[in-house]
Amino acid sequence: MSKIVKGTMLLTGATFLSKFLGMIYLIPFEAMVGDTGGTLYGFAYIPYTIFISISTLGVPLAVSKFVSKYNSLGDYETSRKILKSGMQLMAFSGLVAFLIMFFGAELLAKSFMNEESSTIALTDATRVIQMVSFALLIIPGMSIVRGFFQGHESMAPTAVSQVIEQVARIAFLLIAVFVVREIFNGSIELAVGFATFAAFIGAIASVIVLYVYWKKRKPYLDRHLEQQEYSYNIPQKKMFKELLGYAGPFVLVGIAIPLYQLIDNLTFQDAMFVAGKGELADTAYAAIVMYGHKLVIIPMTLATGLSLSMLPAVTASFTEQKVHLLHKQMNQVFQIVILLIVPAVVGLIVLSGEAYGALYGVEGVEMKGMWLAWYAPASLLFGLFSVSAAVLQGINQQNFTVFSLTAGMIIKASLNIPLILAFGAKGSIFATLLAVGAAVFLNLWRVRKKADFPMQPLFKRALLVIIFTAIMAILLWIIKLLLGMFLNPLESRLDALVVLVAGVVIGGGSYLWLAYKSTLLERVLGGKIRILDRFLNKKNSQEENDAH
């Protein structure tokens, strides 16, 4: 296995693990702070995510590309210069972002809340936004170091620091919330304030990991500098111009999901109040934007990680004008998303009540599960948007992503309030699905037009996925019906967990078995299923030996 493939798999695994941990910790978190705490946490964390993306300007990934380019030219001095200059730039942008978020916290809180209907006080919302803002002082500069290591094809520092950052953040968050709520019987608002400050603790842990890697790798990096024969001596102004030219497209895809959530932050509570459902505003916001969203993005993370690992090959085929190979690779990229996310979406729809009840408790689960079922298709749409945007970058059409994302944002902003007034909390979900769906349609249209991309192979594989998913869905309904004779997942968290586990094991297992036996897995994933081959062949051989 090549170093690049190993590195990509390492990063994909680390990203998935980080997202998975980011979902699991919400189970005890929700039990301690409830819907009010979840809403308050979302008020702080969604703008924080956007501030992080804006303050880094997509520079870390651009640094990776920049360093890789000049390393290949043998100019390691320029790579080291961009690390130093990039850290100075990120330290400045992080400081500016911190000051804006910290001192603008009250203004942000006012824009998110409806003070007449919300159970959250303005001062509490302001404080949690201020507490999360401290992480902005560290994360932009830290992310530059990650990009520098990636440019040297060294993925372990990024992967390990990501996981350690998440573990440290979650550990501090849960301990702090437990101490405040359970030991000192403190308020939910104070507990959530410490929970948001955990982002700063996680960032410090990540910095320590990266520093250890830097000390360990510096002698090796210095040897490259000593052996260098030629330097391009690029002026800093020109260096930044090239770097920011790379960075533009990266930042857009990174903030797409938080931007849709930000529109909910700005409009959801007021619209629910006008619709006469103000008493449900905090509960619905927490169930959809905070807790439900974490469930929705898990399948998307794995599928897009596997798909994006192929994009360097797509870029190379486009550059070398290997049209037939380009079409084959692009088809595979989209097929991976459909193969993995479609059954996950359908499974989440069928088991929405059980999934929400098992993870977050059964209080109000019938309504919350219904919201989750409506929101589940967003996983597929977000996945297709991320991958199609990356494909556009691979075929040098990255600027079109600005247009498609803007179109999606206009649709979301225009329809969010009218649809909430018409359908209640579901309206915000419908607006998101329509907005992201439109952005995906535009991206796919552009891909088809500029790369002459044939859709027929994609449709054929998608049809097979739909058939297998339909069989899986029927099995899930049967499982729910049978277990429902003995269990009540709407009233017992343990019952919900039993039904959920049975559904995932039997339903998910049946889908994978059908996909494997039909060779669909092999055709879409290729060599990635050799481990499964070895496992099944070993199992079959063992059964034959037992028979003899």
Side-chain angles (χ1 to χ4, degrees):
M1 190 183 294
S2 73
K3 186 176 180 182
I4 293 175
V5 173
K6 281 183 179 178
T8 302
M9 290 180 67
L10 185 64
L11 276 181
T12 300
T15 302
F16 179 76
L17 180 58
S18 295
K19 296 288 185 183
F20 183 73
L21 291 172
M23 180 196 76
I24 291 298
Y25 87 87
L26 286 178
I27 299 171
F29 180 73
E30 191 275 342
M32 290 186 282
V33 302
D35 292 335
T36 299
T39 298
L40 189 56
Y41 190 81
F43 283 171
Y45 225 79
I46 290 169
Y48 161 74
T49 304
I50 294 171
F51 269 101
I52 282 289
S53 299
I54 293 174
S55 64
T56 57
L57 301 168
V59 167
L61 286 170
V63 164
S64 172
K65 187 173 181 178
F66 186 98
V67 169
S68 179
K69 172 186 172 181
Y70 284 95
N71 282 357
S72 67
L73 297 172
D75 185 1
Y76 297 97
E77 184 183 354
T78 297
S79 298
R80 192 68 68 88
K81 281 181 181 177
I82 199 62
L83 172 64
K84 182 180 179 181
S85 299
M87 287 187 72
Q88 291 171 348
L89 174 65
M90 290 297 95
F92 175 74
S93 66
L95 176 62
V96 171
F98 163 74
L99 293 173
I100 292 173
M101 191 171 187
F102 186 88
F103 291 105
E106 184 175 348
L107 184 62
L108 281 171
K110 281 182 179 177
S111 65
F112 297 159
M113 296 172 58
N114 184 291
E115 293 185 66
E116 294 181 52
S117 64
S118 181
T119 57
I120 298 169
L122 177 63
T123 53
D124 293 324
T126 301
R127 183 170 62 246
V128 296
I129 293 172
Q130 288 176 329
M131 289 187 78
V132 78
S133 66
F134 285 96
L136 291 166
L137 294 169
I138 298 178
I139 288 180
M142 174 195 73
S143 59
I144 283 287
V145 181
R146 287 177 177 173
F148 178 78
F149 277 123
Q150 286 174 232
H152 282 83
E153 295 183 11
S154 179
M155 307 302 177
T158 297
V160 174
S161 66
Q162 273 183 351
V163 173
I164 295 299
E165 178 184 359
Q166 188 75 306
V167 169
R169 183 180 76 85
I170 291 170
F172 179 87
L173 181 152
L174 292 178
I175 292 169
V177 172
F178 179 82
V179 169
V180 171
R181 295 289 293 151
E182 305 299 327
I183 296 178
F184 292 104
N185 199 28
S187 67
I188 287 174
E189 292 77 13
L190 180 61
V192 174
F194 278 105
T196 57
F197 186 72
F200 179 76
I201 302 299
I204 290 177
S206 180
V207 166
I208 292 170
V209 172
L210 290 171
Y211 178 75
V212 171
Y213 270 107
W214 174 257
K215 293 292 286 184
K216 184 179 176 181
R217 305 268 173 100
K218 191 172 185 296
Y220 167 78
L221 298 171
D222 288 343
R223 279 199 298 273
H224 281 303
L225 280 176
E226 292 166 4
Q227 296 166 4
Q228 180 171 317
E229 296 179 358
Y230 178 77
S231 174
Y232 284 82
N233 287 321
I234 303 174
Q236 189 178 58
K237 184 178 179 181
K238 186 178 179 182
M239 198 159 50
F240 278 146
K241 185 178 179 181
E242 181 178 353
L243 183 68
L244 295 175
Y246 294 152
F250 289 120
V251 69
L252 283 173
V253 177
I255 64 172
I257 294 176
L259 282 175
Y260 289 116
Q261 292 179 303
L262 181 65
I263 292 175
D264 280 323
N265 270 18
L266 294 169
T267 60
F268 189 87
Q269 287 217 337
D270 285 337
M272 288 288 284
F273 179 75
V274 173
K277 298 178 180 179
E279 75 282 356
L280 277 177
D282 288 347
T283 299
Y285 177 92
I288 297 169
V289 181
M290 183 66 188
Y291 300 128
H293 180 75
K294 292 291 186 180
L295 283 171
V296 164
I297 63 170
I298 288 293
M300 168 202 144
T301 302
L302 178 60
T304 54
L306 289 171
S307 293
L308 295 175
S309 69
M310 296 186 59
L311 286 174
V314 170
T315 304
S317 297
F318 177 77
T319 304
E320 296 166 12
Q321 295 295 302
K322 296 179 179 177
V323 178
H324 179 73
L325 181 60
L326 174 67
H327 290 166
K328 182 180 178 181
Q329 290 166 338
M330 288 167 64
N331 255 301
Q332 190 173 6
V333 165
F334 289 113
Q335 285 170 21
I336 289 172
V337 172
I338 292 171
L339 174 76
L340 297 178
I341 299 185
V342 168
V345 166
V346 172
L348 195 55
I349 290 172
V350 177
L351 298 172
S352 58
E354 289 76 11
Y356 201 100
L359 295 173
Y360 303 128
V362 294
E363 184 181 349
V365 73
E366 195 166 355
M367 180 171 56
K368 294 173 182 177
M370 177 266 295
W371 289 329
L372 178 60
W374 280 110
Y375 193 37
S379 179
L380 178 62
L381 295 176
F382 282 136
L384 286 172
F385 177 80
S386 297
V387 171
S388 61
V391 168
L392 284 171
Q393 185 178 335
I395 61 173
N396 203 28
Q397 293 292 311
Q398 58 269 21
N399 291 336
F400 187 81
T401 308
V402 179
F403 174 75
S404 64
L405 179 59
T406 302
M409 294 295 297
I410 291 172
I411 292 171
K412 172 69 174 172
S414 302
L415 295 181
N416 212 47
I417 292 176
L419 290 178
I420 290 173
L421 294 178
F423 300 103
K426 293 196 299 289
S428 70
I429 298 173
F430 298 157
T432 298
L433 296 178
L434 289 169
V436 185
V440 168
F441 174 81
L442 289 170
N443 281 357
L444 291 177
W445 169 79
R446 190 69 169 187
V447 168
R448 179 176 172 81
K449 181 179 179 181
K450 290 300 178 180
D452 195 24
F453 177 55
M455 293 287 190
Q456 291 84 353
L458 182 61
F459 290 146
K460 287 179 181 178
R461 295 276 163 80
L463 181 60
L464 198 55
V465 168
I466 291 169
I467 292 170
F468 292 159
T469 302
I471 295 171
M472 180 197 76
I474 293 169
L475 274 174
L476 289 178
W477 281 114
I478 293 172
I479 291 166
K480 283 185 65 172
L481 185 65
L482 292 175
L483 292 178
M485 296 176 181
F486 314 100
L487 305 172
N488 191 343
L490 295 181
E491 294 184 6
S492 168
R493 191 168 187 171
L494 180 59
D495 289 358
L497 180 62
V498 171
V499 177
L500 177 64
V501 171
V504 170
V505 171
I506 298 172
S510 67
Y511 174 81
L512 287 175
W513 185 82
L514 288 169
Y516 177 76
K517 284 297 184 181
S518 66
T519 70
L520 178 63
L521 279 182
E522 182 181 354
R523 292 174 185 275
V524 175
L525 298 178
K528 294 182 177 67
I529 64 160
R530 286 172 189 161
I531 294 174
L532 187 60
D533 275 330
R534 288 200 295 268
F535 172 76
L536 290 174
N537 290 336
K538 182 178 178 181
K539 185 178 177 182
N540 291 336
S541 299
Q542 184 64 43
E543 288 173 354
E544 289 173 9
N545 292 335
D546 291 343
H548 291 303

